[in-house]
């Protein structure tokens, strides 16, 4: 994992600091950054003499924002297939596909998104000819050659209508294929020596895919399943319980209808709050209140939009979640602390607390209002140039 860059000492003073940590909201506060990390946060704290000062009076300071499912770094021009590296159309290697191998740190879309306060993201593969798409990665959006914070962070798969399409036309067939793949991977891991010597039955997947899926079958690696219909959500919850999987649900347009079941299973969800008008028969129950209802039921909710060009618009989606019943704090948490926890980087990111990497944004107003803009963005303690190709 990439570490924070060495940086100058900086003191941001006078702002309203939304720490998203135990200190809560600090009015007229000061935050000191030293060598890429947060050294101190509070009121009346000592400012090192050598610190460069940034006046944040009348402005709001938050952690940098996190989009939990994007195509950043693997999509440049959506309509040009040669510039899109997030989909594998081969049937031989799918689960073993790793987006981290193709992430382009020089993508013009990185700067477009970070100057609007997006500092971290999950880059996820999309389903090609298999319902198992491959492995995603967590990246930061800083100015370095290596953006990968955590590679192989989860396996991604699709069920519901898309899974049915890829499995011959029926949802049950997609569930069978996923179950078979995971059972084969588990058997492969338990009998690797016999497999290598040719003493094991044939498996449904290639050796590379079996090796990649073994970590999912053992519960070491999370499985992110894109699913929307309430009955499909319940079916995959049942499968995860039977096989002992670490499940994360994405999409969940009808998640509010089975929110209690999701909460009882302790499964987090990745939601696009603006999903409303149904795009298919599996989204007939879509509502702008989905995020609020899921959270009210006790589900851990993180926000995503699956985009690359406009991954930044996840902030506007969060504002709409608040307008439709979600608390302001929960909406900001869905862009900071919750994804940090889901993706296993909450020891270094997600809140403005001493010891954390200095990902933060100084806003000219409420960060969840569409008319608010980022004035200053820091990623791992480095102030980002507020310019892009746009």
């Amino acid at each position: 994992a990439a570490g924070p860059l060495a940086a100058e000492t900086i003191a941001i003073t006078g702002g309203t600091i939304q720490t998203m940590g135990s200190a809560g909201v600090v009015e007229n506060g000061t935050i000191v950054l030293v060598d890429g990390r947060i050294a101190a946060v509070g009121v009346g704290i000592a400012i090192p003499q050598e610190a460069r000062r940034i006046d944040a009076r009348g402005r709001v300071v938050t952690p940098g924002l996190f989009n939990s499912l994007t195509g950043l770094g693997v999509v440049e021009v959506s309509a040009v297939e040669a510039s899109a590296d997030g989909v594998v159309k081969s049937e031989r290697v799918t689960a073993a596909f790793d987006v981290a191998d193709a992430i382009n740190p020089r993508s013009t879309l990185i700067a477009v998104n970070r100057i609007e306060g997006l500092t971290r993201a999950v880059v996820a593969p999309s389903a090609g000819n298999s319902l198992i798409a491959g492995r995603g990665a967590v990246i930061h959006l800083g100015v370095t050659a290596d953006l990968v914070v955590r590679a192989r962070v989860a396996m991604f798969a699709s069920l519901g209508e898309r899974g049915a399409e890829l499995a011959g036309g029926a949802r049950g067939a997609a569930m069978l294929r996923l179950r078979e793949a995971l059972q084969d991977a588990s058997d492969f891991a338990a009998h690797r020596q016999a497999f290598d010597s040719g003493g094991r039955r044939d498996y449904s997947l290639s050796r590379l895919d079996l090796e990649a899926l073994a970590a999912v079958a053992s519960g070491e690696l999370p499985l992110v399943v894109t699913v929307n219909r309430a009955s499909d959500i319940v079916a995959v919850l049942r499968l995860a319980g039977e096989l002992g999987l670490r499940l994360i649900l994405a999409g969940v347009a009808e998640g509010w209808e089975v929110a209690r079941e999701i909460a009882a299973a302790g499964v987090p969800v990745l939601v696009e709050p603006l999903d409303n008008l149904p795009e298919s028969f599996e989204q007939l129950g879509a509502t702008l209140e989905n995020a609020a209802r899921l959270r009210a039921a006790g589900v851990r909710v993180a926000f995503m939009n699956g985009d690359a060009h406009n991954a930044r618009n996840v902030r506007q989606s969060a504002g709409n979640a608040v307008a439709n019943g979600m608390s302001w704090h929960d909406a900001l948490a869905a862009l900071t602390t919750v994804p940090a926890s889901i993706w296993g980087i909450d020891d270094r990111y997600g809140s403005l607390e001493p010891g954390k990497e200095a990902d933060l944004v100084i806003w000219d107003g409420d960060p969840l209002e569409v008319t608010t803009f980022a004035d200053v963005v820091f990623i791992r303690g480095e102030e980002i140039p507020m310019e892009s190709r746009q």
Side-chain angles (χ1 to χ4, degrees), residues 38-92:
I38 297 169
V41 182
V43 177
I45 61 176
I47 298 176
Q49 186 174 359
E50 72 276 14
R52 175 167 67 92
R53 299 191 181 215
I54 297 176
D55 186 357
R57 284 178 296 178
R59 294 183 284 181
V60 179
V61 184
T62 71
L65 305 185
F66 196 128
N67 187 326
S68 282
L69 201 157
T70 76
L72 282 167
V74 294
V75 174
E76 194 66 28
V77 180
S78 301
V80 179
E81 188 173 352
S83 73
D85 289 306
V87 180
V88 174
K89 295 184 179 178
S90 165
E91 293 187 0
R92 183 181 179 277

